Amino acid sequence: MAHDVARSFRGRVAVVAADLVVPPGSVTALVGPNGAGKTTLLLVLAGLLAPDRGSVTLDGVDLVADPVGARARTGWMPDSLGSWDSLTARELLATMADAHRLPRAASAARVAELLALVHLEDLADAPAHVLSRGQKQRLGLARALVHSPAVLLLDEPASGLDPRSRVELRDTLRRLAGEGVAVLVSSHVLGELDELADRAVLMNGGRTVDVLEDVGVGGLGSDVPGSRPRPWRVRALEPAQLLAALEGRGLRPRPAEGGIDVVVPDEESAARLLAGLVADGVGVVSFAPATGLLEQAYLELDEGSRR
Ligand SMILES: Nc1ncnc2c1ncn2[C@@H]1O[C@H](COP(=O)(O)OP(=O)(O)OP(=O)(O)O)[C@@H](O)[C@H]1O
């Protein structure tokens, strides 16, 4: 979808080398610390910011060669609705439908369908400025979907949403992916990405630095339980004894809130470690994964970028 994309702002590098593929039928998460270049890359993909270098293809259409065709295939949900406040939700969606040249008859039905999808029927005829932040986010999603795009780009879509709306957003995006849409979503809410994304592209310092494949719906790695290294948090009656036992096994324990963290390659190793600690007489009182895998990958990125 994007190859070797770069973009600077008056000499300030925002994206320096971004390569990204978002397969149709999948939800790909774009993850990285503040300032990593996620929004800039999304704006380039959405055709709203010209790259200094590189190529972008959306649903098989080259963005430079055919910008109109590429944009017609792409839905864009920015992190805020923007200055559409004087229109009602219904008018805003109808305006978008006109912009995408939907026939009048189809347009009214599509608008009604989208208002139902994002549960804004009751507020459909109120000016958008009376909507709460979460309601505006939902309207932003509806706006991105007006023309049934093959590619959907979302910048921090869950921000401002209450827990129920987040679950609905997740279900909607999963359903769209199930229908074959290529979904790319940036977010800091890593716990939710775990449940939403099939794969994750990690971004740091303007570069796409890693791709985690097959992260699985319903929890990162749920398709391949425990097959990745991750930190486990161990708590024992006598922390000094635990620390010595972990170091004695050649591990690199790190004191953490409520216990000691140690990175273990997979769940089998974790089970062996627990059995070994108990056999050694360490009074283990809790032993569990310390963070989600995506969160762990993110924290490693962030740590790297601060060094
Ligand atoms: N219009 C602009 N003018 C100047 N610098 C910009 C502009 N847009 C982005 N930048 C800079 O480019 C870098 C990447 O910004 P970007 O917003 O793409 O990051 P991000 O990963 O989306 O961050 P966040 O998670 O905080 O939203 C930052 O250093 C930012 O200051």
Side-chain angles (χ1 to χ4, degrees), residues 8-172:
S8 298
F9 298 98
R10 281 175 246 102
R12 187 187 182 91
V13 171
V15 173
V16 63
D19 282 284
L20 184 81
V21 175
V22 183
S26 78
V27 178
T28 299
L30 185 60
V31 177
N34 288 138
K38 304 180 297 295
T39 298
T40 304
L41 178 58
L42 284 170
L43 286 167
V44 168
L45 295 176
L48 298 169
L49 195 62
D52 300 332
R53 191 186 69 214
S55 61
V56 174
T57 312
L58 297 155
D59 192 31
V61 177
D62 186 291
L63 183 59
V64 174
D66 182 5
V68 176
R71 270 191 233 149
R73 289 166 167 78
T74 308
W76 163 240
M77 179 182 168
D79 63 353
S80 68
L81 191 63
S83 51
W84 292 69
D85 276 9
S86 57
L87 297 183
T88 68
R90 194 188 306 279
E91 287 166 348
L92 189 156
L93 295 178
T95 305
M96 281 309 284
D98 278 353
H100 285 293
R101 302 189 194 289
L102 256 69
R104 274 286 148 91
S107 162
R110 180 69 179 146
V111 168
E113 186 187 348
L114 289 168
L115 287 168
L117 177 78
V118 299
H119 304 295
L120 285 177
E121 295 116 310
D122 291 351
L123 291 161
D125 299 309
H129 66 78
V130 308
L131 301 183
S132 71
R133 167 144 177 85
Q135 289 161 347
K136 282 185 183 168
Q137 287 296 93
R138 276 149 46 195
L139 180 55
L141 176 64
R143 181 177 63 177
L145 293 174
V146 164
H147 53 308
S148 309
V151 179
L152 185 58
L153 309 168
L154 309 104
D155 195 6
E156 299 278 349
S159 82
L161 295 187
D162 59 34
R164 185 181 168 158
S165 301
R166 286 178 183 211
V167 171
E168 283 169 0
L169 172 73
R170 188 187 69 204
D171 291 349
T172 302

Side-chain angles (χ1 to χ4, degrees), residues 198-211:
D198 302 296
R199 48 203 296 288
V201 173
L202 305 185
M203 203 170 177
N204 198 15
R207 295 171 193 276
T208 43
V209 292
D210 204 357
V211 181

